[in-house]
Coordinates of all heavy atoms in Angstrom, one line a residue:
M1 N -1.1 38.0 -5.5 CA -1.7 36.6 -6.0 C -0.4 35.7 -6.1 O 0.6 36.0 -6.5 CB -2.2 36.9 -7.4 CG -2.7 35.6 -8.1 SD -4.5 35.2 -8.0 CE -5.3 36.7 -8.6
P2 N -0.7 34.5 -5.4 CA 0.4 33.6 -5.5 C 0.7 33.0 -6.8 O -0.3 33.0 -7.7 CB 0.0 32.4 -4.6 CG -1.5 32.5 -4.5 CD -1.8 34.1 -4.7
K3 N 1.9 32.6 -7.1 CA 2.2 32.1 -8.5 C 2.0 30.5 -8.5 O 2.2 29.8 -7.4 CB 3.8 32.3 -8.8 CG 4.2 33.8 -9.0 CD 3.4 34.4 -10.2 CE 3.8 35.7 -10.5 NZ 2.9 36.4 -11.5
F4 N 1.5 30.1 -9.6 CA 1.4 28.6 -9.8 C 2.1 28.2 -11.0 O 2.1 28.8 -12.1 CB -0.1 28.4 -10.0 CG -1.0 28.4 -8.8 CD1 -1.7 29.6 -8.6 CD2 -1.1 27.5 -7.9 CE1 -2.5 29.7 -7.5 CE2 -1.9 27.5 -6.8 CZ -2.6 28.6 -6.5
Y5 N 2.8 27.1 -10.8 CA 3.5 26.4 -11.9 C 2.9 25.0 -12.0 O 2.6 24.5 -11.0 CB 5.0 26.3 -11.6 CG 5.7 27.6 -11.4 CD1 5.7 28.3 -10.3 CD2 6.5 28.1 -12.6 CE1 6.4 29.6 -10.2 CE2 7.2 29.3 -12.4 CZ 7.1 30.0 -11.2 OH 7.8 31.2 -11.1
T6 N 2.7 24.6 -13.3 CA 2.1 23.3 -13.4 C 2.7 22.5 -14.5 O 3.3 23.0 -15.4 CB 0.6 23.5 -13.8 OG1 0.0 22.2 -13.9 CG2 0.3 24.3 -15.0
K7 N 2.7 21.2 -14.4 CA 3.1 20.3 -15.4 C 2.2 19.0 -15.2 O 1.7 18.8 -14.1 CB 4.6 20.0 -15.4 CG 5.1 19.3 -14.1 CD 6.7 19.3 -14.1 CE 7.1 18.2 -15.2 NZ 8.5 18.0 -15.0
V8 N 2.1 18.2 -16.2 CA 1.5 17.0 -16.2 C 2.5 15.8 -16.0 O 3.5 15.7 -16.8 CB 0.6 16.7 -17.4 CG1 -0.1 15.3 -17.4 CG2 -0.5 17.9 -17.5
D9 N 2.1 14.9 -15.1 CA 2.9 13.7 -14.9 C 2.3 12.7 -15.8 O 1.3 12.1 -15.6 CB 2.8 13.2 -13.4 CG 3.6 11.8 -13.3 OD1 4.0 11.2 -14.2 OD2 3.8 11.5 -12.1
Q10 N 3.0 12.6 -17.1 CA 2.4 11.7 -18.0 C 2.4 10.2 -17.7 O 1.6 9.5 -18.3 CB 3.0 12.1 -19.4 CG 2.7 13.5 -19.9 CD 3.3 13.9 -21.2 OE1 4.4 13.3 -21.5 NE2 2.8 14.8 -21.9
E11 N 3.1 9.8 -16.7 CA 2.9 8.5 -16.3 C 1.7 8.2 -15.6 O 1.2 7.1 -15.5 CB 4.2 8.2 -15.2 CG 5.5 8.4 -15.8 CD 5.9 7.2 -16.6 OE1 5.7 6.1 -16.3 OE2 6.6 7.5 -17.7
K12 N 1.1 9.3 -14.9 CA -0.2 9.1 -14.3 C -1.4 9.4 -15.2 O -2.5 9.1 -14.9 CB -0.3 10.0 -13.1 CG 0.7 9.6 -12.0 CD 0.3 10.5 -10.7 CE 1.2 10.1 -9.6 NZ 1.0 11.1 -8.4
C13 N -1.1 10.1 -16.4 CA -2.3 10.7 -17.2 C -2.9 9.5 -17.9 O -2.2 8.7 -18.4 CB -1.7 11.7 -18.1 SG -3.0 12.2 -19.3
I14 N -4.3 9.5 -17.8 CA -5.0 8.3 -18.5 C -5.7 8.9 -19.8 O -6.6 8.2 -20.3 CB -6.0 7.6 -17.6 CG1 -6.9 8.6 -17.0 CG2 -5.2 6.9 -16.4 CD1 -8.1 8.0 -16.3
A15 N -5.3 10.1 -20.2 CA -5.9 10.7 -21.5 C -7.3 10.8 -21.4 O -8.1 10.5 -22.4 CB -5.3 9.9 -22.7
C16 N -7.9 11.1 -20.2 CA -9.3 11.3 -20.1 C -9.9 12.6 -20.8 O -11.1 12.6 -21.0 CB -9.8 11.3 -18.6 SG -9.4 12.8 -17.8
G17 N -9.1 13.6 -21.0 CA -9.5 14.8 -21.7 C -10.1 15.9 -20.8 O -10.4 17.0 -21.3
L18 N -10.3 15.7 -19.5 CA -10.9 16.6 -18.7 C -10.2 18.0 -18.5 O -10.8 19.0 -18.6 CB -11.2 16.0 -17.3 CG -12.5 15.2 -17.2 CD1 -12.5 14.7 -15.7 CD2 -13.7 16.0 -17.4
C19 N -8.9 17.8 -18.4 CA -8.1 19.1 -18.1 C -8.2 20.1 -19.3 O -8.3 21.3 -19.2 CB -6.7 18.8 -17.7 SG -5.7 17.9 -18.9
Q20 N -8.2 19.5 -20.6 CA -8.2 20.3 -21.7 C -9.7 20.9 -21.8 O -9.8 22.1 -22.4 CB -7.9 19.6 -22.9 CG -7.3 20.4 -24.1 CD -8.4 21.0 -25.1 OE1 -9.4 20.4 -25.1 NE2 -8.0 22.1 -25.7
I21 N -10.7 20.3 -21.3 CA -12.0 20.8 -21.5 C -12.1 22.0 -20.3 O -12.7 23.0 -20.6 CB -13.0 19.7 -21.1 CG1 -13.1 18.8 -22.2 CG2 -14.4 20.4 -20.7 CD1 -13.9 17.5 -22.0
K22 N -11.6 21.8 -19.2 CA -11.7 22.7 -18.1 C -10.7 23.9 -18.4 O -11.1 25.0 -18.0 CB -11.3 22.1 -16.7 CG -12.2 20.9 -16.4 CD -13.6 21.4 -16.0 CE -14.4 20.3 -15.5 NZ -15.8 20.7 -15.1
A23 N -9.5 23.7 -18.9 CA -8.5 24.7 -19.1 C -7.9 24.6 -20.6 O -6.7 24.3 -20.6 CB -7.5 24.6 -18.0
P24 N -8.7 25.0 -21.4 CA -8.1 24.8 -22.9 C -7.0 25.8 -23.2 O -6.2 25.5 -24.2 CB -9.4 25.1 -23.8 CG -10.2 26.0 -22.9 CD -10.0 25.5 -21.5
Q25 N -6.7 26.8 -22.3 CA -5.7 27.7 -22.6 C -4.3 27.1 -22.0 O -3.3 27.8 -22.2 CB -5.9 29.1 -22.2 CG -7.0 29.7 -23.1 CD -7.4 31.1 -22.6 OE1 -6.6 32.1 -23.0 NE2 -8.4 31.3 -21.8
I26 N -4.5 26.2 -21.2 CA -3.4 25.7 -20.5 C -2.9 24.2 -20.9 O -1.7 24.0 -21.1 CB -3.6 25.6 -19.0 CG1 -4.0 27.0 -18.4 CG2 -2.4 25.0 -18.2 CD1 -4.5 26.9 -17.0
Y27 N -3.8 23.4 -21.2 CA -3.5 22.0 -21.6 C -3.9 21.6 -23.0 O -4.9 22.1 -23.5 CB -4.3 21.1 -20.6 CG -3.8 21.3 -19.1 CD1 -4.6 21.9 -18.3 CD2 -2.6 20.9 -18.7 CE1 -4.3 22.3 -16.9 CE2 -2.1 21.2 -17.4 CZ -3.0 21.9 -16.6 OH -2.6 22.1 -15.2
D28 N -3.0 20.9 -23.5 CA -3.3 20.3 -24.9 C -2.8 18.8 -24.8 O -2.4 18.3 -23.8 CB -2.5 21.1 -25.9 CG -3.2 20.9 -27.3 OD1 -4.1 20.1 -27.5 OD2 -2.8 21.6 -28.2
Y29 N -2.9 18.1 -25.9 CA -2.6 16.7 -25.9 C -1.5 16.3 -26.9 O -1.4 16.9 -28.0 CB -3.8 15.9 -26.2 CG -5.0 16.1 -25.4 CD1 -6.2 16.5 -25.8 CD2 -4.9 15.7 -24.0 CE1 -7.2 16.8 -25.0 CE2 -6.0 16.0 -23.1 CZ -7.1 16.6 -23.7 OH -8.2 16.7 -22.8
T30 N -0.7 15.3 -26.5 CA 0.2 14.7 -27.5 C -0.6 13.9 -28.4 O -1.8 13.7 -28.3 CB 1.3 13.9 -26.8 OG1 0.5 12.8 -26.2 CG2 2.0 14.7 -25.7
E31 N 0.2 13.3 -29.5 CA -0.5 12.5 -30.5 C -1.0 11.3 -29.7 O -2.1 10.7 -30.2 CB 0.4 12.0 -31.5 CG 0.8 13.1 -32.4 CD 1.8 12.7 -33.6 OE1 2.2 11.6 -33.5 OE2 2.2 13.5 -34.4
D32 N -0.5 10.9 -28.6 CA -1.0 9.7 -27.9 C -2.2 10.1 -26.9 O -2.6 9.2 -26.1 CB 0.1 9.2 -27.0 CG 1.2 8.6 -27.9 OD1 0.9 8.1 -29.1 OD2 2.4 8.6 -27.4
G33 N -2.5 11.4 -26.8 CA -3.7 11.8 -26.0 C -3.2 12.1 -24.6 O -4.1 12.4 -23.7
L34 N -2.0 12.2 -24.4 CA -1.5 12.5 -23.0 C -1.5 14.0 -22.9 O -1.2 14.7 -23.9 CB -0.1 12.0 -22.7 CG -0.1 10.3 -22.8 CD1 1.4 9.9 -22.6 CD2 -0.9 9.7 -21.7
A35 N -1.9 14.6 -21.8 CA -1.9 15.9 -21.6 C -0.6 16.6 -21.3 O 0.3 15.8 -20.7 CB -2.9 16.3 -20.4
Y36 N -0.4 17.8 -21.6 CA 0.8 18.6 -21.3 C 0.5 20.0 -21.2 O -0.6 20.5 -21.7 CB 2.0 18.2 -22.3 CG 1.8 18.9 -23.7 CD1 2.2 20.1 -24.0 CD2 1.0 18.3 -24.6 CE1 2.0 20.8 -25.3 CE2 0.8 18.7 -25.9 CZ 1.3 20.0 -26.2 OH 1.0 20.6 -27.4
N37 N 1.3 20.7 -20.4 CA 1.2 22.2 -20.3 C 1.7 22.8 -21.5 O 2.8 22.7 -21.8 CB 1.9 22.6 -19.1 CG 1.9 24.2 -18.8 OD1 1.4 24.8 -19.7 ND2 2.5 24.5 -17.8
L38 N 0.8 23.4 -22.3 CA 1.2 24.1 -23.6 C 1.9 25.4 -23.3 O 2.5 25.9 -24.3 CB 0.0 24.2 -24.5 CG -1.2 24.9 -24.3 CD1 -0.9 26.5 -24.5 CD2 -2.4 24.4 -25.0
I39 N 1.7 26.0 -22.2 CA 2.4 27.3 -22.1 C 3.9 27.2 -22.0 O 4.6 28.0 -22.5 CB 1.8 27.9 -20.7 CG1 0.3 28.3 -20.9 CG2 2.6 29.2 -20.3 CD1 -0.4 28.7 -19.5
D40 N 4.4 26.1 -21.3 CA 5.8 26.1 -21.3 C 6.3 24.6 -21.8 O 7.4 24.2 -21.3 CB 6.3 26.4 -19.9 CG 5.8 25.4 -18.8 OD1 5.3 24.4 -19.2 OD2 5.9 25.7 -17.6
Q41 N 5.6 23.9 -22.6 CA 5.9 22.7 -23.1 C 6.2 21.7 -22.0 O 7.0 20.8 -22.1 CB 7.1 22.8 -24.0 CG 6.9 23.6 -25.3 CD 5.6 23.1 -26.1 OE1 5.6 22.0 -26.3 NE2 4.7 24.1 -26.3
N42 N 5.3 21.8 -20.9 CA 5.3 20.8 -19.8 C 6.6 20.8 -19.0 O 6.9 19.8 -18.4 CB 5.0 19.4 -20.3 CG 4.1 18.6 -19.2 OD1 3.3 19.2 -18.7 ND2 4.6 17.4 -19.0
T43 N 7.4 22.0 -19.1 CA 8.6 21.9 -18.2 C 8.2 22.5 -16.8 O 9.1 22.3 -15.9 CB 9.6 22.9 -18.9 OG1 9.1 24.2 -18.9 CG2 10.0 22.3 -20.3
G44 N 7.2 23.1 -16.7 CA 6.9 23.7 -15.4 C 7.7 24.9 -15.0 O 7.9 25.1 -13.8
Q45 N 8.2 25.6 -16.0 CA 9.1 26.7 -15.7 C 8.5 28.0 -15.8 O 9.0 29.0 -15.4 CB 10.3 26.6 -16.8 CG 11.2 25.4 -16.7 CD 11.8 25.2 -15.4 OE1 12.6 26.1 -15.0 NE2 11.6 24.2 -14.6
M46 N 7.4 28.1 -16.4 CA 6.6 29.4 -16.6 C 5.5 29.6 -15.6 O 4.6 28.7 -15.6 CB 6.2 29.6 -18.0 CG 7.2 29.5 -19.0 SD 7.7 31.1 -19.5 CE 6.2 31.8 -20.4
P47 N 5.3 30.6 -14.8 CA 4.2 30.8 -14.0 C 3.0 31.0 -14.9 O 3.0 31.6 -15.9 CB 4.5 32.1 -13.2 CG 5.5 32.9 -14.1 CD 6.3 31.8 -14.8
L48 N 1.8 30.5 -14.3 CA 0.6 30.7 -15.0 C 0.3 32.1 -14.9 O 0.3 32.8 -13.9 CB -0.6 29.8 -14.4 CG -0.4 28.3 -14.5 CD1 -1.4 27.6 -13.7 CD2 -0.6 28.0 -16.0
P49 N -0.2 32.7 -16.0 CA -0.9 34.1 -15.9 C -2.0 34.1 -15.0 O -2.8 33.2 -14.8 CB -1.3 34.3 -17.4 CG -0.7 33.3 -18.2 CD -0.4 32.1 -17.4
D50 N -2.1 35.2 -14.2 CA -3.1 35.3 -13.3 C -4.5 35.1 -13.8 O -5.4 34.4 -13.2 CB -3.2 36.8 -12.6 CG -1.8 37.0 -11.8 OD1 -1.3 36.0 -11.5 OD2 -1.7 38.1 -11.4
A51 N -4.7 35.5 -15.0 CA -6.1 35.2 -15.6 C -6.4 33.9 -15.9 O -7.6 33.6 -16.2 CB -6.2 36.0 -17.0
L52 N -5.5 33.0 -15.9 CA -5.7 31.5 -16.2 C -5.8 30.8 -14.8 O -6.1 29.4 -14.9 CB -4.7 31.0 -17.0 CG -4.7 31.5 -18.4 CD1 -3.6 30.9 -19.3 CD2 -6.0 31.5 -19.1
I53 N -5.6 31.3 -13.7 CA -5.5 30.6 -12.5 C -6.9 29.9 -12.1 O -6.9 28.7 -11.6 CB -5.0 31.3 -11.4 CG1 -3.4 31.5 -11.5 CG2 -5.1 30.7 -10.0 CD1 -2.7 32.4 -10.6
S54 N -7.9 30.6 -12.3 CA -9.2 29.9 -12.0 C -9.5 28.7 -12.8 O -10.0 27.6 -12.4 CB -10.3 31.0 -12.0 OG -10.5 31.5 -13.3
E55 N -9.2 28.8 -14.2 CA -9.4 27.7 -14.9 C -8.4 26.6 -14.6 O -8.6 25.4 -14.7 CB -9.5 27.9 -16.3 CG -8.2 28.3 -17.2 CD -8.5 28.6 -18.7 OE1 -9.2 29.5 -19.0 OE2 -8.1 27.8 -19.4
F56 N -7.1 26.9 -14.2 CA -6.2 25.9 -13.9 C -6.9 25.1 -12.6 O -6.7 23.9 -12.5 CB -4.9 26.6 -13.3 CG -4.0 25.7 -12.6 CD1 -3.4 24.5 -13.0 CD2 -3.9 25.9 -11.1 CE1 -2.7 23.8 -12.2 CE2 -3.2 25.0 -10.4 CZ -2.6 23.9 -11.0
K57 N -7.4 25.8 -11.6 CA -7.9 25.1 -10.4 C -9.1 24.2 -10.8 O -9.1 23.1 -10.3 CB -8.4 26.1 -9.4 CG -7.3 26.9 -8.8 CD -7.7 27.9 -7.8 CE -6.6 28.6 -7.0 NZ -7.0 29.6 -6.2
L58 N -9.8 24.5 -11.8 CA -10.9 23.7 -12.3 C -10.2 22.3 -12.8 O -10.8 21.2 -12.5 CB -11.7 24.3 -13.4 CG -12.6 25.5 -12.9 CD1 -13.4 26.1 -14.1 CD2 -13.7 25.0 -11.8
A59 N -9.2 22.5 -13.6 CA -8.7 21.3 -14.2 C -7.9 20.5 -13.1 O -8.0 19.2 -13.1 CB -7.6 21.7 -15.3
Y60 N -7.3 21.1 -12.2 CA -6.4 20.4 -11.1 C -7.5 19.6 -10.3 O -7.1 18.5 -10.0 CB -5.9 21.6 -10.3 CG -5.0 21.0 -9.2 CD1 -3.7 20.6 -9.4 CD2 -5.5 21.0 -7.8 CE1 -2.9 20.0 -8.4 CE2 -4.6 20.5 -6.9 CZ -3.3 20.1 -7.1 OH -2.6 19.6 -6.1
T61 N -8.6 20.2 -10.0 CA -9.5 19.3 -9.1 C -10.2 18.3 -9.9 O -10.7 17.3 -9.4 CB -10.5 20.3 -8.4 OG1 -11.1 21.1 -9.4 CG2 -9.8 21.2 -7.4
A62 N -10.3 18.5 -11.2 CA -11.0 17.5 -12.0 C -10.2 16.4 -12.4 O -10.9 15.3 -12.7 CB -11.6 18.3 -13.3
C63 N -9.0 16.4 -12.5 CA -8.1 15.3 -12.9 C -8.3 14.1 -12.0 O -8.1 14.2 -10.8 CB -6.6 15.7 -12.9 SG -5.5 14.3 -13.4
P64 N -8.7 12.9 -12.6 CA -9.1 11.8 -11.7 C -7.8 11.1 -11.2 O -8.1 10.2 -10.3 CB -9.9 10.9 -12.6 CG -9.3 11.3 -14.1 CD -9.1 12.8 -14.0
T65 N -6.7 11.3 -11.7 CA -5.5 10.5 -11.2 C -4.4 11.4 -10.6 O -3.4 10.9 -10.4 CB -4.8 9.8 -12.6 OG1 -4.5 10.9 -13.5 CG2 -5.9 9.0 -13.2
N66 N -4.7 12.6 -10.3 CA -3.8 13.5 -9.7 C -2.5 13.7 -10.6 O -1.4 13.7 -10.0 CB -3.3 13.0 -8.3 CG -4.5 13.1 -7.4 OD1 -5.4 14.0 -7.4 ND2 -4.7 12.1 -6.5
A67 N -2.7 13.6 -11.8 CA -1.6 13.7 -12.8 C -1.1 15.2 -13.0 O 0.0 15.4 -13.4 CB -1.9 13.2 -14.2
I68 N -2.1 16.0 -12.7 CA -1.6 17.5 -12.8 C -0.9 17.9 -11.5 O -1.5 17.9 -10.4 CB -2.9 18.3 -12.9 CG1 -3.6 18.0 -14.3 CG2 -2.7 19.9 -12.8 CD1 -4.9 18.8 -14.5
L69 N 0.3 18.4 -11.7 CA 1.2 18.8 -10.6 C 1.2 20.2 -10.5 O 1.1 20.9 -11.5 CB 2.6 18.2 -10.8 CG 2.7 16.7 -11.1 CD1 4.2 16.4 -11.4 CD2 2.1 15.9 -10.0
R70 N 1.4 20.8 -9.3 CA 1.4 22.2 -9.1 C 2.5 22.5 -8.0 O 2.7 21.8 -7.2 CB 0.2 22.8 -8.8 CG -0.4 22.6 -7.4 CD -1.5 23.4 -7.1 NE -1.9 23.2 -5.7 CZ -3.0 23.6 -5.1 NH1 -3.8 24.3 -5.7 NH2 -3.2 23.3 -3.8
K71 N 3.1 23.6 -8.2 CA 4.1 24.2 -7.3 C 4.0 25.7 -7.2 O 3.5 26.4 -8.1 CB 5.5 23.8 -7.6 CG 5.8 22.3 -7.5 CD 7.2 21.9 -7.9 CE 8.2 22.2 -6.6 NZ 9.5 21.5 -6.9
S72 N 4.6 26.3 -6.2 CA 4.6 27.6 -6.0 C 6.0 28.2 -6.7 O 6.2 29.5 -6.6 CB 4.3 28.1 -4.7 OG 5.4 27.6 -3.8
E73 N 6.8 27.4 -7.1 CA 8.1 27.7 -7.7 C 8.3 26.8 -8.9 O 7.6 25.8 -9.0 CB 9.2 27.6 -6.6 CG 9.3 26.1 -6.1 CD 10.2 26.0 -4.9 OE1 10.3 27.0 -4.2 OE2 10.8 24.9 -4.7
P74 N 9.3 27.2 -9.8 CA 9.5 26.3 -10.9 C 9.9 24.9 -10.7 O 10.6 24.7 -9.7 CB 10.6 27.1 -11.7 CG 10.5 28.5 -11.3 CD 10.1 28.4 -9.8
F75 N 9.5 24.0 -11.5 CA 9.9 22.6 -11.4 C 11.3 22.5 -11.8 O 11.7 23.4 -12.6 CB 9.0 21.7 -12.3 CG 7.6 21.5 -11.7 CD1 6.6 22.4 -11.8 CD2 7.3 20.4 -11.0 CE1 5.3 22.2 -11.3 CE2 6.0 20.2 -10.4 CZ 5.0 21.1 -10.6
N76 N 11.9 21.4 -11.5 CA 13.2 21.3 -12.0 C 13.2 21.2 -13.6 O 12.3 20.6 -14.1 CB 13.9 19.9 -11.5 CG 14.3 20.1 -10.0 OD1 14.4 21.1 -9.4 ND2 14.2 18.9 -9.4
A77 N 14.2 21.7 -14.2 CA 14.3 21.9 -15.6 C 14.5 20.6 -16.4 O 15.5 20.2 -16.9 CB 15.3 22.9 -16.0
S78 N 13.4 19.7 -16.4 CA 13.6 18.4 -17.1 C 12.2 18.1 -17.8 O 11.3 17.8 -17.2 CB 13.9 17.2 -16.2 OG 13.0 17.2 -15.1
P79 N 12.1 18.4 -19.1 CA 10.9 18.1 -19.8 C 10.5 16.8 -19.7 O 11.3 15.9 -19.5 CB 11.2 18.5 -21.2 CG 12.5 19.2 -21.2 CD 13.2 18.9 -19.9
S80 N 9.1 16.5 -19.5 CA 8.6 15.2 -19.6 C 7.6 14.9 -20.6 O 7.0 15.9 -21.2 CB 8.1 14.8 -18.2 OG 6.9 15.6 -17.9
Ligands
LIG101 FE1 -4.5 13.4 -18.0 FE2 -5.6 14.3 -15.8 FE3 -5.8 15.7 -17.9 FE4 -7.2 13.5 -17.7 S1 -7.4 15.3 -16.4 S2 -6.1 14.1 -19.5 S3 -5.8 12.2 -16.4 S4 -3.8 15.2 -16.8

């Protein structure tokens, strides 16, 4: 199974809430309503557990602004 790393580009996030509905074990919100990856505090350093990949894909395709980023390797270590 390929690895997925994810983080939210909070510059693009419009706080619509869809990703947390689709993938509540992956995404949560800041006090401002912006989404972030709660698994690794939005650093994109931790691969998603295989069991969460299907819900990750639901959130990824639901995001209206393409704010959910994904890679097959860790993102650069800079929290956003
Ligand atoms: Fe932000 Fe996209 Fe999640 Fe909506 S679905 S809260 S725009 S990251």
Side-chain angles (χ1 to χ4, degrees):
M1 175 101 51
K3 292 293 182 197
F4 287 98
Y5 297 79
T6 181
K7 63 187 290 189
V8 173
D9 179 348
Q10 293 181 332
E11 300 284 319
K12 290 185 178 176
C13 178
I14 57 170
C16 74
L18 274 176
C19 58
Q20 206 272 339
I21 291 169
K22 300 288 187 184
Q25 296 182 80
I26 301 173
Y27 299 105
D28 203 352
Y29 302 119
T30 66
E31 288 180 1
D32 295 330
L34 298 176
Y36 67 96
N37 173 358
L38 61 84
I39 293 173
D40 62 11
Q41 298 304 307
N42 213 44
T43 61
Q45 296 297 298
M46 296 267 292
L48 289 171
D50 289 348
L52 297 184
I53 287 176
S54 56
E55 69 179 68
F56 163 70
K57 289 180 176 174
L58 292 176
Y60 182 82
T61 54
C63 179
T65 63
N66 297 321
I68 295 178
L69 309 179
R70 70 171 183 187
K71 288 179 84 169
S72 57
E73 57 191 26
F75 285 80
N76 289 335
S78 55
S80 63

